[in-house]
């Protein structure tokens, strides 16, 4: 009897990332999302007779930037090919893509896993291609509606090596890839709007032996038959689809059957995969070099310029954060996982050199993220701006308010979007640090509670907290607790 | 009284500028002639109403001394060029109802120079053919047909050739993929110039084979061809294969007498060639010698492989270029309940036999398992053919050959044998594969009393030498222009 | 290379061209003839020869990333056999 835990998945991912550009890859129509149907379509995008493609320079630059971000080789000579197939939302009857000579060759990215380890995932290639249009199937029962607004938008297809072994690794890979794309500004990574889409190639096999053979090589079991899962369009779906498919393929093999190589569709609602009906007929894409487009030549100078101007990548930023601010690797990883987090942190830390990095990180990762999550908000839409959180932290540091009061002010800021200064003043939350004032308050409390003072002095020392509490009550919590403690101790010692 | 029948483009421009004739007279004359010679079937569409209106506007400009280079000149356009809001069919059922919302760059260049659309001329469906017989609208007729024999005008630009030779157009545009300008020019006894690949923009011309297609003029004289090409040519940012070169001046450059080295490729002299063609070849050489040109024998060793190379490459590209005709966004649709049936029925009914045959061949040579043996192989042989020409052009300025192996043939005699039909292009396709400029000039009449043309091939972007050499043949041959 | 009926059907399917059963044989023969004819190329030695896709030696021209096109819905739809609400309409496509 075969056991599930003796088996592993072998996964390769094909990620389609929509390039951030104003106009399309081969036409000057807009790439805006969500416009009226067929309003962002040029004669080229609709494949009118005699229309010809002219390439968008910025899209090439975006692909090179991404290639550099993926530690990959940029090919100075690459070729556009036609991938031929019929589909109603593919107006030309072919997609202009890159087949045997892509713009970007081998590279890798490093992912961090929950157990604290990290792993390199190989990138096979990145190539440029056109997106197809959109078919809408649910307006009329017997008809499909075709909108070509998306037709011709530039995509980067980023293909990984089959280095991924679990749903967690696949999810971390996509998260990391997305974060890199966002850092360098080549793709917004928005999976809901379809600007980042994922196809999963998955097969399963018996795990390799832990020991090495006599020759010192790892003994690998052979790769199984793979299935391609399409339409996996969220990080959560990636996990679900892989877990489902692992189980399904295992069950097929375990019951003595064979896996059929096929394209399957992930059903988000049911959380399962099913074979795609339209892909049943064997495809033969008849790739050949597009005679309408000369080969793409990129000179060294251009690549160098791009390398020089490339924004800091997450891995490097993380190292810098750890070295410069002495924050933990864990905290640094959370900060860099999203470019907006780091920007928020950077703004606070550079706003006032005296700010303590560890405190700033705690406020962001602890308090701010908790409230943002609760309210389902992105850090970019945070009601508390970086400057304001910085100010709040300063008020704690200079003892204007106590840490405890600060939490209340923070909640108020989140609710009302007011500046901390205004809240503190309006509510009179400024901390009392005047020893004279505190001393007279303490005298008042001690005078009013002479019996308790006697009890304390006769040995009931836990009443100390009671006196502190009384002072705090008198000042609505604004008295500096350190000073209160100090004076109270002195007075009660007499 | 000026006999409009006798004047060529160059003369018409002069007469209009001198206000000796009006544009309206010229346009009306050609419309009337075209109506009278309907049996030629040269036009798919005649621009009767609009052309007159445009001629009146041109006459106003002329009156105001505001005339442009081709002001008021009616031009026939092969129905492969997209013309804004005017039916553009590619002689196919699948585009039989298509009115583009745009104007091709080449025709726009003509209209910007003041020319007027006279009509859209007949062609082989999607320019695939050498006899015009694959047209959905029926074949155009060679105006030299006589004695109850119907000769083909050649193809694919047969309608344009027929119109110019038959006196129902003063000049026309054509497109040439493997000989589609030159071969019909030869069959009809007119001038047909295929420019260097990249000289004229392909934007807005219905694509057949992208790496071969090139637009060019079909005219009565060499001078006319130069005038037309000066207007048609030019860099176009919308075509990534368009050459970015200085503005041409072929017409003026023709006045310079050139001493040329003329190459004669020995591989073109094959056994099947008729004696009379060999004789005309000798005659042509004499014309050149008389004009201080030197004759040099050259080697184009891969000539015999050009046809097969051409059919693989052009069909492969066509199979992909014609995938857009799917009945969804424009053109003919055969309604069906299911999308695959819609595609198959639309394309099966919408395309003619030859087009389907080429799509199938093209699909086959690109498909998995056959790509390397056919398509890639052909691309490599193409490199060798290009290299042959490169070597030859180290020794000579132009190359002189027959345009086609025979004179025009009778309708229906080759249409059922594709390979026999393809052999018409044996002398023209090597030039297309290399992207070189070439012209066909009539040299005389065959024993069947049909025109025979000879081809002059030049270096890339050296149309000047091609035109100069053509002018030598034209002047010396003194070919009788009229077909009747 | 002989093209048999099965191959003709496969090519027809890829080309989205319907061939009536009675014509399959004819097509098979015709295509076989043409293919045998082009096999003449096997005589040419093409070792170490790089393929030519396009005879021009033009460098690929670049376009600036500007929005200068689109917003021509009427022109895009004007020749469509069937359109509604700004969409092209086709029979239901099953994914």
């Amino acid at each position: 009897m075969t056991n599930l835990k003796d088996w592993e998945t072998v996964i390769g991912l094909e990620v389609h990332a929509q390039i951030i550009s104003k106009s399309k890859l081969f036409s000057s129509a807009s790439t805006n999302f969500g416009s009226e149907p067929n309003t962002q379509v040029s004669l080229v995008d609709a494949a009118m007779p005699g229309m010809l493609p002219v390439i968008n320079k910025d899209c090439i630059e975006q692909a090179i930037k991404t290639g550099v971000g993926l530690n990959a080789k940029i090919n100075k000579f690459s070729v556009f090919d036609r991938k031929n197939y019929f589909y109603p939302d593919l107006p030309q009857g072919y997609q202009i893509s890159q087949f045997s000579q892509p713009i970007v060759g081998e590279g890798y990215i490093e992912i961090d896993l929950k157990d604290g380890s990290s792993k390199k995932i190989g990138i096979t290639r990145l190539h440029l291609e056109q997106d197809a249009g959109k078919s809408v199937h649910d307006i009329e029962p017997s008809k499909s509606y075709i909108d070509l607004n998306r037709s011709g938008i530039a995509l980067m297809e980023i293909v990984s090596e089959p280095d991924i072994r679990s749903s967690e690794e696949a999810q971390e890979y996509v998260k990391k890839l997305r974060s890199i794309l966002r850092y360098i500004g080549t793709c917004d990574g928005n999976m809901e709007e379809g600007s980042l889409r994922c196809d999963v190639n998955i097969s399963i096999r018996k795990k390799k032996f832990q020991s090495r053979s006599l020759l010192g090589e790892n003994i690998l079991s052979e790769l199984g038959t793979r299935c391609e899962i399409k339409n996996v369009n969220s990080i959560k779906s990636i996990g679900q689809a892989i877990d489902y498919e692992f189980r399904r393929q295992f069950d097929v093999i375990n019951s003595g059957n064979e896996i059929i190589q096929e394209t399957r569709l992930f059903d988000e609602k049911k959380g399962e995969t099913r074979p795609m009906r339209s892909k049943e007929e064997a495809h033969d894409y008849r790739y050949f070099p597009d005679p309408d487009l000369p080969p793409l030549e990129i000179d060294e100078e251009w690549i160098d310029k791009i390398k020089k101007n490339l924004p800091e990548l997450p891995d490097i930023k993380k190292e810098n954060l750890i070295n410069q601010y002495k924050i933990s690797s864990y905290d640094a990883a959370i900060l860099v996982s999203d470019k907006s987090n780091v920007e928020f942190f950077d703004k606070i830390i550079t706003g006032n050199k005296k700010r303590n990095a560890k405190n700033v990180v705690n406020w962001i990762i602890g308090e701010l993220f908790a409230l943002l999550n609760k309210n389902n908000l992105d850090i970019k839409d945070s009601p508390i701006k970086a400057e304001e959180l910085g100010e709040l932290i300063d008020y704690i540091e200079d003892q204007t308010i106590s840490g405890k009061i600060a939490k209340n002010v923070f909640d108020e800021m989140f609710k009302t979007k007011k500046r901390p200064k205004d809240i503190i003043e309006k509510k009179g939350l400024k901390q009392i640090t005047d020893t004279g004032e505190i001393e007279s308050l303490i005298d008042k409390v001690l005078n009013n509670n002479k019996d308790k003072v006697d009890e304390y002095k006769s040995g009931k020392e836990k009443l100390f907290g009671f006196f502190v509490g009384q002072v705090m009550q008198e000042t609505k919590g604004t008295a500096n607790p350190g000073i209160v403690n100090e004076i109270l101790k002195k007075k009660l010692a007499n | 009284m000026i006999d409009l029948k006798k004047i060529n483009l160059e003369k018409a421009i002069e007469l209009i500028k001198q206000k000796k004739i009006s544009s309206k007279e010229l346009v009306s004359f050609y419309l009337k002639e075209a109506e009278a010679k309907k049996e030629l079937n040269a036009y798919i569409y005649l621009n009767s109403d609009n052309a007159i209106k445009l001629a009146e506007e041109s006459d106003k400009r002329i009156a105001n001394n505001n005339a442009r280079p081709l002001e008021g000149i009616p031009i026939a356009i092969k129905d492969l060029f997209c013309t804004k809001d005017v039916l553009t069919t590619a002689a196919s059922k699948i585009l039989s109802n298509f009115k583009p919302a745009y104007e091709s760059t080449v025709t726009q260049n003509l209209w910007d120079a003041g020319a007027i659309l006279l009509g859209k001329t007949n062609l082989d469906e999607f320019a695939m053919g050498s006899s015009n017989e694959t047209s959905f609208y029926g074949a155009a007729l060679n105006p030299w047909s006589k004695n109850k024999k119907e000769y083909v005008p050649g193809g694919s630009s047969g309608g344009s050739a027929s119109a110019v030779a038959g006196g129902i157009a003063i000049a026309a545009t054509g497109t040439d993929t493997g000989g589609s300008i030159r071969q019909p020019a030869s069959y009809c006894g007119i001038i047909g110039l295929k420019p260097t690949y990249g000289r004229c923009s392909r934007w807005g011309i219905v694509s057949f084979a992208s790496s071969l297609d090139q637009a060019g003029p079909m005219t009565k004289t060499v001078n006319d061809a130069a005038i037309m090409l000066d207007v048609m040519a030019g860099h176009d940012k919308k075509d990534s294969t368009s050459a970015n070169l200085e503005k041409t001046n072929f017409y003026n450059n023709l006045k310079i007498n050139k001493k040329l080295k003329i190459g004669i490729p020995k591989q073109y002299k094959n056994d099947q060639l008729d004696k009379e063609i060999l004789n005309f070849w000798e005659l042509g050489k004499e014309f050149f010698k008389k004009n201080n040109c030197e004759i040099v024998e050259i080697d184009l060793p891969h000539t015999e492989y050009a046809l097969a190379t051409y059919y693989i490459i052009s069909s492969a590209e066509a199979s992909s270029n014609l995938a857009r005709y799917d009945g969804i966004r424009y053109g003919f649709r055969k309604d069906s309940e299911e999308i695959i049936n819609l595609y198959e029925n639309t394309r099966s009914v919408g395309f003619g036999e030859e087009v389907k045959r080429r799509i199938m061949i093209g699909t086959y040579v690109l498909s998995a398992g056959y790509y390397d043996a056919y398509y890639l192989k052909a691309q490599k042989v193409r490199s060798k053919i290009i290299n042959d020409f490169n070597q030859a052009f180290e020794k000579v300025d132009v190359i002189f050959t027959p345009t086609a192996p025979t004179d025009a043939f009778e309708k229906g005699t080759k249409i059922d044998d594709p390979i026999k039909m393809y052999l018409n292009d044996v002398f023209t396709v090597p030039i297309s594969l290399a992207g070189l400029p070439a012209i066909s000039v009539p040299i005389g009449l065959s024993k069947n009393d049909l025109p025979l043309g000879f081809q002059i091939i030049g270096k890339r972007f050296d149309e000047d030498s091609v035109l100069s050499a053509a002018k030598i043949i034209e002047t010396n041959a003194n070919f009788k222009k009229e077909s009747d | 290379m002989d093209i048999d009926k099965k191959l003709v059907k496969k090519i027809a399917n890829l080309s989205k061209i319907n061939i009536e059963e009675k014509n399959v044989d004819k097509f098979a023969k015709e295509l076989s003839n043409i293919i045998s004819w082009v096999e003449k190329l096997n005589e040419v030695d093409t070792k170490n020869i790089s393929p030519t896709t396009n005879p021009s030696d033009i460098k690929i021209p670049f376009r600036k990333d500007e929005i200068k096109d689109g917003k021509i819905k009427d022109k895009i739809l004007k020749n469509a056999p069937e359109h509604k609400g700004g969409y092209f309409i086709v029979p239901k496509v099953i994914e």
Side-chain angles (χ1 to χ4, degrees), chain A residues 287-303:
Chain A
Y287 282 100
F288 76 105
D290 191 333
D292 287 332
L293 289 161
L296 177 56
E297 289 174 65
I298 299 165
D299 55 38
E300 191 74 55
E301 222 174 298
W302 193 11
I303 300 172

Side-chain angles (χ1 to χ4, degrees), chain B residues 22 24 44 73 91 97 121 256 259 261 270 274 295 310 315 327 341 356 364 377 414 436 443 450 458 474:
Chain B
S22 72
K24 197 176 172 181
I44 290 174
I73 303 286
N97 55 2
T121 60
I256 306 160
K259 260 180 85 179
K261 272 193 189 165
N270 61 46
D274 205 287
I295 304 292
Y310 170 80
S315 302
N341 289 340
K356 282 190 255 189
Y364 173 73
K377 181 79 184 181
K414 291 187 184 181
L436 302 171
I443 200 164
L450 292 170
E474 181 184 48

Side-chain angles (χ1 to χ4, degrees), chain B residues 305 348 357 374 383-384, chain C residues 18 30 39 43 45 50 52:
Chain B
Y305 303 106
S348 301
R357 188 151 44 223
Y374 298 104
S383 302
K384 290 201 126 181
Chain C
N18 212 358
E30 248 175 34
E39 277 171 354
E43 295 166 14
D45 178 10
S50 51
T52 297

Side-chain angles (χ1 to χ4, degrees), chain B residues 4-5 7-9 29-31 33-34 37 40 42-43 46 73-77 118-119 121 159-173 190 218-220 224:
Chain B
L4 291 177
K5 208 176 243 179
I7 63 171
N8 57 36
L9 176 66
F29 171 77
Y30 276 107
L31 284 173
E33 290 291 303
K37 292 186 181 171
L40 289 180
Y43 287 99
L46 258 183
I73 303 286
I75 303 283
I77 301 294
L118 179 62
T121 60
S160 287
S162 171
V164 173
I168 57 175
I170 199 162
T173 65
I190 63 164
M218 302 180 78
T219 56
K220 297 183 175 195
D224 287 0

